[in-house]
Amino acid sequence: QVQLVESGGGLVQAGGSLRLSCAASGSIFSIKPFFTIGTMGWYRQAPGKQRELVATMSTGANTNYADSVKGRFTISRDNAKKTMYLQMNTLKPEDTAVYYCNIEYSDSRNVWGQGTQVTVSS
């Protein structure tokens, strides 16, 4: 069983930056390297809206971004620290949401973090 814990959210002015972190833990990492666990991703959910994909990174390090964040956000991971990151630059008020990290296993099961609030003021 993998547990994910996000951190790094907060309040920032428009145009500012934040870096979200998602630390993974679990006994599985004693037998499997972090990057092999599954597709890693960040999602967000704004009030009154559905959860949406922000960015993903495959086990092979291929990345995918929502059109709304391309060129501004970057997903990355540190295998030694078992941590994934989301660097968010040039933040906009419409980026305000609760951000969740996710791992999708090869059998399509998912594990989610608890979420971290990002608020961008205009």
Side-chain angles (χ1 to χ4, degrees):
Q1 188 80 357
V2 174
Q3 295 82 41
L4 302 176
V5 178
E6 297 107 335
S7 61
L11 174 64
V12 63
Q13 288 188 330
S17 298
L18 282 174
R19 188 177 79 156
L20 305 183
S21 300
C22 176
S25 63
S27 59
I28 192 171
F29 297 116
S30 65
I31 58 174
K32 293 192 71 174
F34 176 62
F35 73 95
T36 68
I37 292 301
T39 297
M40 300 178 183
W42 289 93
Y43 293 74
R44 67 187 181 187
Q45 187 166 18
K49 295 187 176 181
Q50 290 189 330
R51 191 173 298 188
E52 64 176 2
L53 180 148
V54 176
T56 62
M57 177 178 281
S58 71
T59 55
N62 294 312
T63 58
N64 178 55
Y65 295 93
D67 288 343
S68 59
V69 306
K70 281 181 181 177
R72 300 188 298 123
F73 291 12
T74 303
I75 186 172
S76 63
R77 66 189 174 206
D78 185 323
N79 295 319
K81 294 182 178 179
K82 297 188 290 294
T83 300
M84 71 174 94
Y85 303 97
L86 185 68
Q87 178 67 44
M88 305 186 293
N89 298 327
T90 320
L91 282 160
K92 305 175 181 180
E94 50 264 43
D95 295 318
T96 295
V98 177
Y99 284 70
Y100 299 89
C101 60
N102 166 273
I103 294 178
E104 181 179 349
Y105 300 124
S106 58
D107 62 3
S108 298
R109 288 182 299 133
N110 284 269
V111 60
W112 294 91
Q114 83 285 358
T116 186
Q117 177 71 46
V118 171
T119 303
V120 184
S121 62
S122 57

